[in-house]
Amino acid sequence: MAKVILQLGALTCPSCMTKIQKAVENQDGVSNVKVLFNAGKVRADIDESKTSADKLSAVITDLGYEVLKTKVKEIA
Amino acid sequence: MIKLNIWISKHQNKMTAAIAVLIALSLVSDYLIKAPIVATGAMIIASIIGAIPVALHAISALKNKVISIELLVTIAVIGAFIIGEYEESAVVTFLFLFGNFLEQKTLEKTRSSVKSLTKMAPTTAELVNEDGTTETVDVDDLDEGDRVLVKPGGQIPVDGKIISGTGYMNEASITGESTPVKKGIGDKVFAGSLTDNGTITVETTSVGEDTTFGKIIELVEEAQDSQSPAARFIDKFATYYTPAVLVIGILVWAITRDFPLAITVLVLGCPGALVIGAPVSNVAGIGNGAKNGILMKGGNAVNSFSHVDTLVLDKTGTLTTGKMSVTDVDNFGDKTENLAMLSAVEKTSDHPLGQAIVKYVADQNITETPALPELDTVKGQGLMGQNDDFKILVGNERLMKANNVKISAEQKAAINKRMNDGDSVVLMAVDQELRLVVGVNDQLRSDAREGLQALKDAGLKRIVMLTGDNKVAAQRVADRLPIDEVHAELLPEDKVTYVKKFQEQGSTVAFVGDGINDSPSLATADIGIGMGTGTDVAIETADIILVKSSFDALAHAYVLAKKTVANTKENIIIAVGTVALLLLGLIVGVIHMGSGMFVHEISILVVIFNAMRLIGNKSQKLDTDQVLKTAN
């Protein structure tokens, strides 16, 4: 398991938040998704055997949002 | 499609500008040069350019089963286009996009307080390798146990312990207190603080999000998103409201067969200001708090705090600094000689009373202390020593009585006076003669009085002090402050009982404590306020954390919470009022699609500007710009 933090560009509409939340949640091996609207961040726990930070980043990019920075931290 | 999506979101502002130019061109050619074909053409192009980004957003939301505002606007615009209302469709998309642009700019402003805080997060560190060389690395690459070098004026990149060197640390980003603190080997340092001078090597204990600074940022970021009950209700409402508007639009069309009316309903029904109104107040209010060293854990905390009518305070460590100091000295004989002797005795003790006395004597510039006989501790009474020259006793009245020290009426009065003030009294006798009467007490925080008064002025009904200390000492502190009730000689569990009792009486209770031994009370109260230097316990248990122990900050937090809640209410009224007015306007027939969108966008800006009033509210405590400047 790993904790992923994605820094996005500024989010302006609350509906973007729902959109990102759902899209990321629907990925296999992703849990505890939290979209921080005001900070423009997405936090999630991922199972690295099923998905990766790059994959989540691609999903969000597909929705039309820029991913500025990704951070992955191993958790036991 | 994906690439187009990104390209468009990057160039959306330019596209909005292009639409504005086209609309202007169209109006000019229509009214000035009377060229209706050019005018219509410009409007058609403007509509298409405008509709594309809106439609793309709508589609991607729809793919994730979300019916968004963009969908309503897209349908309305396409509808207007089909029936040949090019002017309406162009104006609506332009206003929608331009509104988005303004929203983005103004939202940035409401988020600026927290942004400036996150900007202070360290990014790189000087890692010391095994062989003593250093290299610059990203803080994310550091691990527990790594050694980092921090040069004068540099920023401390991690939480850790100093293993070599000393220096003055400016911990403003953590505690809000910018007076530098001296730190040396073995002392803890915090990521985000700055060294004023001195080069130090730090052994890492935590990095990034796990540092105190990281936790503070995480807490504030999450707090801004954790909404008040009102905002949550609105949010829930909006998820049903938007699809409902779509259904109503379809129904209107089905019943009246009036297509233009149906699409106008879609535009007018957009929940714009409604969705943004409540959260934006929270963001601004919480951001203001964060800038002033007040961390409020979300809209719930803000909301409950604003309703608090009873404030319960712990005495030691909260109302007082928890540090002992000498209040007064009555001297009988040679003062310098007496104090020097007392200091010499107290130097052998690590009792807080003794330390306070040693400090007091040192502050009087009395540095030479005489040689003393060997001292024995008399349990519960004090210290005594005897040699061939003299006998010395330092302790309480019991020690004096037990050793038959003569105490004159004048001396007795001095002792009683100190005791009545609630001080702890330290006596010194040499050869059976009483020489000194020293009062020692816990220091009251300098801004406690003004802060509590400000809270009362802001509408707080009752201030209660609870303490484990004795009644006299408690009353002495209470008499100097605007406190309504005092309960002394309590155990931590008794404090919880009092908090519960007040709640049963129907009061909304806030408890202020340092989080060390009163976390049960912090958790029981409607609002737990942790006062202290950001201990982990307080960060976790409390709803509101004052990083700096100041009553000024407490009063500011209370006023801010009240203002934020009032601001949220105003915004909801503005938003609901707008929709109601628009519907009325539609029925009366004065509102059309374009003007409806215009009013919507105005209302969105009005709620954001209204929230922005919360940002400016008194802030100069933590000058982030200054900290940044010194950091770079």
Side-chain angles (χ1 to χ4, degrees), chain B residues 118-157:
Chain B
T118 50
K119 260 199 244 154
M120 287 195 291
T123 51
T124 59
E126 287 288 309
L127 176 68
V128 183
N129 292 318
E130 301 258 310
D131 58 6
T133 58
T134 64
E135 59 175 320
T136 308
V137 298
D138 199 287
V139 277
D140 293 332
D141 298 333
L142 288 172
D143 279 317
E144 209 177 295
D146 279 347
R147 293 172 175 201
V148 294
L149 186 74
V150 187
K151 291 188 183 133
Q155 192 185 31
I156 296 173

Side-chain angles (χ1 to χ4, degrees), chain A residues 5 10-15 18-19 22-23 26 34-39 41 43 61-66 71 73, chain B residues 2 5-6 9-10 57 60-61 64-66 68 70 103-104 107 111 140 209-210 218 221-222 224-225 275-276 283:
Chain A
I5 300 167
L11 299 179
T12 47
C13 55
S15 69
T18 332
K19 216 156 71 178
K22 286 197 176 170
N26 287 338
K34 213 177 218 176
V35 182
L36 299 174
F37 175 57
N38 289 295
K41 274 186 189 168
R43 285 181 219 268
T61 316
D62 284 358
L63 290 174
Y65 301 97
E66 218 179 341
K71 221 172 179 180
K73 222 178 80 189
Chain B
I2 288 159
N5 234 334
I6 293 167
S9 59
K10 270 194 180 157
H57 274 295
S60 75
N64 290 291
K65 303 186 186 72
V66 177
S68 59
E70 283 87 356
E103 217 175 304
Q104 195 180 336
L107 269 178
R111 292 168 177 163
D140 293 332
E209 263 97 46
D210 299 324
E218 185 172 327
E221 283 181 349
E222 293 198 0
Q224 291 201 318
D225 276 1
V275 225
I276 207 89
V283 170

